[in-house]
Amino acid sequence: MVLAHLAGIRVFATGGLGGVHRGGENSMDISADLTELGRTPVAVFSSGCKSFLDIPRTLEYLETQGVGVGTFADGRQGKVDFPAFWTRESGIQSPTVIHDEQEAAGIIFAQSSLGLMSGLLFANPISSQHSIPKAQIDAIVAQAILDAETSGSTGSDNTPFILARIRELTGGQTVTANRALVESNVIRGTRVACELAKLEADVGKRPDRKHSYSINKSLSAEKANQSPTTSAGQTPSQESPVSLPHTDVFVAGSLAIDFSCDFMYRRGANSPIAPLMYTSNPAKISQGLGGVGQNIATAIHCLDTSVQLCSATGDDAAGTAARSMLAAKGLSLSGIMKKPSARTAQYVAVNDAQRDLVLAMADMAILEECRSEADTLWKASLEECKPKWLVVDANWDPLTLQWWIKHGKAMNANIAFEPVSVLKAERLFVSDPAAGFELGVLPDHTVSLATPNKLELASMHTAARDAGIFERNDWWQVINAMGLSTSGSRDKLVSVTDLSLVDDGIPQQSIQLLPFVPTILTKLGEKGVLMTQMLTPGDARLTSSDDSKYILSRADANHRTIGGVYMRLLPPAEKVPATEVVSVNGAGDTFLGIIIASLAKANPQPLVDLIQIAQQGSRMTLRSKETVSTDIKMLKDLL
């Protein structure tokens, strides 16, 4: 490992790793390679450690040394065991699961960027074909250890004796397994090295590991040597822009560092569930990569749909961490603007004891300072890639939001709008005719899809009303063409939704916004999703007996662009118990990401089916500490 590091080799493939020997808590017999891995920044690929070692204490020792440990899933789902060299299963759960070579390369790159001097251990399980059954190898190891004790083979003689005895007891089967696992580890390590090289080429730099211990001092010195006018005079930059043809989806939105504060209360009959105002509260606080745009892009990326995230960070510690974590996920940094004088976006969520959001604070000012650079940094990429979909979140200031929508439509992209919050949802309706932007109505609508929650929907409706767009003649023409009946309309709405939703005005608000946004998916928490959609003439649902109860109205048969209105409440197939909710952050973003990942395909699933799949993905994120659960990769075949 030391020689590899000195030679600049960062991926090191071998057979097995040493470990803590059984009884090591008394003998202190710990293999030297564990200590070395804790101080040498090399990524080691092995088939775990040998079965006769103390695997739990080995993993504990590696954690103490600051060594990151992960095991390749190798086709398995969920949690997996840390391998025991000759067998895939050890009975000891791996600290982390690695799904593919790209993810492993991202982890190596991220650790390099952070300047850490410890190594990484990637456990690559022996193939099923050559794996010795756990029960069989456990019995053989136990016999070999007993024989070693009987023969007095201790110290440096212990391991050679046990290995030789295991070879005898298995009839040479371990020799064949040794060759197979070494070959497999070399192949796996080579593939990761290739992915790492691609990632570094994409980012445009390779972190200097030899001098990474002084990274903080170097950064401080660099800033100290800058002239007072440097920050003001600097221009935003991108991380080595690259050509990105045939990208299916562009996501324009926030990239942030997220802080989640979960209220922790002392259990008892009178214990509060929500934090108390105007005082300090006990909490569990976690930090991770977030931002609405980033979450959506990550979900799309997990489902193997090509995606480009366009956002901005400051040239600060938070920005460095955000870009490194983004790269670790395998997402390109070419669309990420670096603004030297700006603060990287940060989001703080305060949740109650049931993990429901109580209050959130978002510092997204950086996205309100990008309009002047948009033409330089993003327009060319948008024109080159011509994405099928452009997803825009409302963290941009109104003018920049309009810029994205206007240029996306110029490339014939479908536009999806994520409102983000009650206060920001109204930004879609801040019209500026002087700037050449006005929301279009069917059939020349500007936005194709929106995914508000019920509060954001109300905010959008209020903003549209206050802006006077419900008084426009073209809006009235579409409303009249829908063929909605005034008699019995409330009863019809109740029949396809429920009374409480109608009393809150949610279906009515959706209908009034349809001329501008022909598909609105309103997220209603435990109630599910309210799908409101303008149908085009010839849509099969207009004549389907199965869908007839969801048809609110039918337009005149001779109308060229409007067929009718479809509304359906889709409850979740499963409600996640409060005790299983880890975090509510990112569930809605996961939902939209899954929807877009499918709609960008040549033959997407029907929207009703797709909503149910996306709800399943949201539940996975609710149960995950990640803002977007990587378990959604299991949904790829359903799309």
Side-chain angles (χ1 to χ4, degrees), residues 492-499 501-502 507 530 567-569:
K492 180 64 174 177
L493 291 176
V494 171
S495 70
V496 297
T497 60
D498 70 24
L499 180 60
L501 294 180
V502 176
L530 178 63
M567 181 174 287
R568 184 170 179 178
L569 179 61

Side-chain angles (χ1 to χ4, degrees), residues 77-211:
Q77 301 294 337
K79 298 176 180 178
V80 301
D81 278 6
F82 182 79
F85 200 65
W86 298 296
T87 182
R88 293 169 67 86
E89 313 297 337
S90 65
I92 308 301
Q93 185 178 307
S94 176
T96 307
V97 179
I98 310 298
H99 294 91
D100 50 41
E101 287 84 358
Q102 189 178 53
E103 182 179 353
I107 292 171
I108 298 171
F109 181 85
Q111 191 195 42
S112 299
S113 301
L114 293 171
L116 303 179
M117 289 302 292
S118 56
L120 295 165
L121 175 61
F122 292 96
N124 182 40
I126 188 172
S127 66
S128 299
Q129 176 185 355
H130 295 96
S131 178
I132 300 174
K134 182 178 182 299
Q136 178 184 345
I137 196 64
D138 283 351
I140 290 172
V141 166
Q143 182 62 53
I145 292 174
L146 179 60
D147 293 346
E149 292 174 354
T150 303
S151 67
S153 298
T154 59
S156 60
D157 295 330
N158 181 260
T159 297
F161 180 92
I162 291 177
L163 289 174
R165 187 68 180 125
I166 290 174
R167 182 174 66 249
E168 294 172 5
L169 293 172
T170 60
Q173 189 177 356
T174 53
V175 176
T176 303
N178 283 347
R179 292 170 180 164
L181 63 85
V182 168
E183 181 179 347
S184 174
N185 294 343
V186 170
I187 292 173
R188 180 81 76 177
T190 300
R191 289 173 177 168
V192 171
C194 291
E195 291 296 331
L196 180 59
K198 292 176 186 177
L199 180 57
E200 291 173 344
D202 186 17
V203 175
K205 64 179 182 180
R206 171 174 174 168
D208 184 358
R209 296 293 295 269
K210 292 184 179 180
H211 305 290

Side-chain angles (χ1 to χ4, degrees), residues 610-630:
L610 188 51
I611 290 171
Q612 294 170 333
I613 296 170
Q615 287 176 314
Q616 185 178 347
S618 293
R619 292 194 296 273
M620 292 176 176
T621 291
L622 285 173
R623 290 185 166 102
S624 173
K625 64 181 179 180
E626 303 168 297
T627 52
V628 175
S629 172
T630 54

